[in-house]
Amino acid sequence: MLRVQQLSVNGRRDRLLPATSLQVRRGELLLVSGTRQDQRTALALALSGRLKSSAGHVEWDGRPGIKSLRQASAVVDSPGVNEPEQHLSVRDLVTEDLSLIPRRHRGPLASKPWLKVNRFEDIAGLWAEQLPAGRRVQLLTALALANPQTDLLVVDSPDRHGDPEDWLPRLENLAYDAGRPLAVVATVMSVPAGWTGPAATIGHE
C-alpha cells in the first residue's frame, strides 16, 4: 500500500505541491485531480520517489523513505520529464526504455522480440507523435511493467492525450489484474464523469 500524509513540495518561490494526503492499495486505481500541470507532475514525481518532498510523510508497504518507493514504482509519460520525444520512433523508444531496466532483471530483452510478444508490431514504425492515445498508454505502461519490480504505477496526466475511454480501461485492467495486481495512480485535470472508484484532490486531505 502507498500511504501519503500531508505531502508537500516547495518550489523556488511558491509551493509547487500543496499538502496532499491519499492512499492506494494493490489492486486499486486512484485518480488524483488537479487543475495545474506543474502540480500534477510534482505529485507524480513525489509519489514515485523521483522528487524529494519538503514536508509530510510517504511510505510504501509500511516502509518510509524514498529508496523502497523508488524501487517499487514507475512514473509514466510525465511531461518534460520522461514523456517520449516526438520524433523518436517507437522501435527506438522501446530499445531505450528496455535498456533502463536493472541489469539483473533485464535478461535478453531486445526491441524486436519485445514488440512482437507484447503485440506492438503494428506501431513499431511510427513516430511517438503519431501514436493514437489508446496505443500510447498501452505501450508506455507495458514498458514500465517490463521491470518485474514495478508494483506501483504512477501515470502523469493521461487525459492530456485523449478521452477517458482512451486510457481509463487500460489503467483499470492493470490495477485489477489478478495475475499481477498493481497499485495504480493517475493524475488528471478532472475526474471523468461517472467514475465511482477511489479519487483524491491535490491540496486536500
Side-chain angles (χ1 to χ4, degrees):
M1 173 190 283
L2 174 68
R3 188 188 302 273
V4 174
Q5 295 177 320
Q6 292 284 300
L7 191 71
S8 66
V9 177
N10 294 333
R12 290 183 179 180
R13 298 179 181 177
D14 302 319
R15 181 165 288 184
L16 182 57
L17 176 67
T20 300
S21 299
L22 55 86
Q23 66 178 34
V24 59
R25 298 174 173 83
R26 286 180 177 84
E28 192 171 71
L29 168 60
L30 172 70
L31 302 184
V32 188
S33 61
T35 56
R36 287 174 47 179
Q37 180 65 69
D38 59 342
Q39 292 184 348
R40 296 196 300 273
T41 294
L43 179 64
L45 297 179
L47 293 183
S48 59
R50 272 70 177 175
L51 179 64
K52 187 177 181 179
S53 61
S54 302
H57 179 78
V58 58
E59 64 179 46
W60 171 252
D61 282 351
R63 299 188 297 273
I66 286 181
K67 184 177 180 180
S68 60
L69 181 61
R70 184 162 187 149
Q71 289 176 340
S73 66
V75 62
V76 177
D77 202 18
S78 189
V81 180
N82 70 343
E83 64 181 338
E85 296 181 21
Q86 290 188 345
H87 300 295
L88 190 68
S89 72
V90 169
R91 189 174 288 106
D92 288 343
L93 170 64
V94 169
T95 298
E96 185 177 279
D97 278 20
L98 293 180
S99 71
L100 299 176
I101 296 174
R103 187 174 298 276
R104 64 185 179 279
H105 297 305
R106 192 181 306 165
L109 292 177
S111 61
K112 188 173 181 179
W114 188 92
L115 286 161
K116 182 176 182 179
V117 168
N118 290 276
R119 300 180 181 178
F120 291 114
E121 287 182 299
D122 60 310
I123 60 172
L126 297 181
W127 301 109
E129 64 181 352
Q130 295 176 303
L131 286 173
R135 294 296 273 162
R136 179 188 180 99
V137 72
Q138 290 171 2
L139 174 67
L140 296 182
T141 51
L143 282 169
L145 295 175
N147 183 347
Q149 282 190 302
T150 301
D151 291 318
L152 168 63
L153 206 58
V154 184
V155 185
D156 190 358
S157 308
D159 51 344
R160 75 188 191 275
H161 296 297
D163 297 323
E165 56 265 27
D166 294 318
W167 53 270
L168 189 55
R170 169 65 173 176
L171 300 188
E172 287 182 294
N173 288 339
L174 291 175
Y176 306 139
D177 183 352
R180 185 181 179 181
L182 303 169
V184 182
V185 180
T187 64
V188 293
M189 182 172 288
S190 61
V191 174
W195 173 253
T196 58
T201 305
I202 291 175
H204 289 216
E205 294 187 36

